[in-house]
Amino acid sequence: MKLALRCNASLHIVLLILISSLLAGCGGGGASTTPPPNPGPTVTLASSASTITAGQSATLTWTSTNATTVSIDNSIGSVATSGSVSVSPTQTTTYIITVSGAGGSAMARTTITVQSVNGAPTVTMSAAPATITAGQSSTLTWTSTNATSASIDNSIGNVATAGSVSVPPAQTTTYTITVTGTGGSAHAQATVTVQPVSTPPTVTMSANPTTIASGQSSTLTVSATNATGVVITDNIDSNTYTLPATGGTQSVQPTQTTTYTATATGSGGQTATANVTITVGTRNINNSINHVIFMLQENRTFDSYFGMLNPYRVAHSRTVSGDGNTYNVDGIDDKLTIISNQDDENDPPFPLFKLKSTCIDDDSSAWLQSFGN
């Protein structure tokens, strides 16, 4: 009896354990103690351009989840779990991003195709202005084709494949630009000539005479220093007269009052000017007479040549002389009848002919007969 009871108790214990296990497996009121698995990481990778030309750049952009470490190959290395980076591949390249986390790892990839530049590079460069004075600046301007990089010597360094830069050389300098591309390299040069600061030019000008009558001439005299050239212009029709660098003389014949300007130009581009005005007035006959010649011939008197000078002056409105006074000569009146003495009012005039009649027949030209008349 005691043995039977002992067996029944063991059986009961086994049955109880078996029933508990079955109930737990069927969800019959028991809670699981196994922890849930960690989720695996995810990642995406994209490029801003799938195709570029050699020398250009593209941007890689990525996002990830459940990741603790992120890295990109092709020498980029560890990066943030999300972000972007600029790349400049020289040939077609596939970039692979790898992420890791508690739930494992994941990868993504993108390919950038690099196209070669066709043809050999070319480049041109110019300087403006090409000639400067010490202390001034010039601008270098260049353009290129098929180039991926460019540099200029004389401490300028790397530059864009097209652009401009200001340079202030202290002396005459030749600048060389070098461009390179997949097709080779090319060069171009531009020279900036630097002139020393020069002494400004000076110029003076005079006219002789300064007042003339229309049709007359005047002489301009110009003197210049530190000049490379001298030019005279007028204010009427822009006529120009070129003189030596030191100046000289120039005859002019203006028809109206004219202002002349002499411009002297120096080696550094500086200029200096001088002006003079020539006044053109009404022609004065007294100024145009240089000589008065009296001509007397045998058996002729003053009255024979100049007896009618007074009526002539009246007829041509020339009774007043250049000094403002009126002068008359001892001559014949306008009726050819009276010879008068203008200088002596007490000396009465006398008839032109001794005879009362103005008609003389058979008059002799012999000396005695003529003298007797």
Side-chain angles (χ1 to χ4, degrees):
M1 291 299 292
K2 290 183 179 179
L3 180 61
L5 288 173
R6 205 175 283 154
C7 293
N8 288 337
S10 298
L11 179 62
H12 288 163
I13 293 173
V14 171
L15 289 174
L16 288 173
I17 294 173
L18 180 61
I19 292 170
S20 296
S21 298
L22 291 174
L23 290 175
C26 294
S32 174
T33 59
T34 302
N38 291 317
T42 63
V43 65
T44 61
L45 179 65
S47 174
S48 61
S50 60
T51 302
I52 63 173
T53 302
Q56 293 182 334
S57 299
T59 300
L60 298 178
T61 303
W62 65 92
T63 59
S64 67
T65 62
N66 304 321
T68 56
T69 61
V70 181
S71 65
I72 303 175
D73 63 353
N74 289 296
S75 302
I76 297 178
S78 297
V79 293
T81 55
S82 296
S84 63
V85 65
S86 178
V87 293
S88 301
T90 58
Q91 58 187 349
T92 299
T93 303
T94 298
Y95 293 89
I96 300 176
I97 186 170
T98 302
V99 298
S100 299
S105 63
M107 293 188 299
R109 68 185 61 201
T110 187
T111 299
I112 299 176
T113 301
V114 179
Q115 294 179 336
S116 299
V117 178
N118 296 323
T122 63
V123 63
T124 60
M125 183 168 65
S126 62
T131 301
I132 62 174
T133 301
Q136 294 181 334
S137 297
S138 179
T139 298
L140 301 177
T141 303
W142 66 92
T143 59
S144 66
T145 61
N146 303 327
T148 57
S149 64
S151 65
I152 302 176
D153 61 357
N154 290 294
S155 301
I156 297 178
N158 294 330
V159 293
T161 55
S164 62
V165 65
S166 178
V167 292
Q171 58 187 354
T172 298
T173 304
T174 298
Y175 295 88
T176 302
I177 184 172
T178 301
V179 297
T180 58
T182 57
S185 62
H187 308 275
Q189 291 183 328
T191 300
V192 179
T193 301
V194 180
Q195 295 181 335
V197 178
S198 59
T199 304
T202 64
V203 63
T204 60
M205 180 169 61
S206 62
N208 184 31
T210 57
T211 300
I212 62 173
S214 179
Q216 291 183 328
S217 298
S218 179
T219 299
L220 303 175
T221 301
V222 178
S223 177
T225 61
N226 303 320
T228 58
V230 177
V231 175
I232 299 176
T233 58
D234 61 50
N235 67 331
I236 302 299
D237 53 12
S238 298
N239 282 334
T240 60
Y241 308 94
T242 302
L243 299 180
T246 56
T249 60
Q250 177 65 49
S251 178
V252 293
Q253 194 174 21
T255 58
Q256 56 183 303
T257 298
T258 302
T259 297
Y260 293 89
T261 300
T263 301
T265 303
S267 59
Q270 308 100 315
T271 60
T273 60
N275 300 309
V276 68
T277 299
I278 299 177
T279 303
V280 179
T282 304
R283 184 179 179 88
N284 189 337
I285 191 171
N286 292 327
N287 293 336
S288 63
I289 297 176
N290 295 323
H291 303 281
V292 177
I293 299 174
F294 290 91
M295 182 177 64
L296 298 179
Q297 294 182 345
E298 185 181 0
N299 296 335
R300 294 292 184 265
T301 65
F302 177 85
D303 291 332
S304 296
Y305 292 101
F306 301 105
M308 296 298 293
L309 183 58
N310 293 333
Y312 177 85
R313 288 175 171 173
V314 173
H316 292 81
S317 301
R318 294 178 178 175
T319 57
V320 180
S321 181
D323 58 5
N325 296 320
T326 300
Y327 296 96
N328 291 315
V329 300
D330 293 344
I332 305 171
D333 65 7
D334 56 356
K335 297 180 182 180
L336 300 177
T337 58
I338 298 297
I339 296 176
S340 60
N341 187 346
Q342 302 291 339
D343 295 331
D344 188 358
E345 296 179 356
N346 296 323
D347 188 359
F350 54 89
L352 183 60
F353 300 99
K354 293 181 179 181
L355 300 179
K356 296 295 184 181
S357 173
T358 59
C359 180
I360 302 175
D361 294 331
D362 298 329
D363 193 18
S364 174
S365 59
W367 167 255
L368 293 177
Q369 289 82 349
S370 298
F371 182 78
N373 291 334

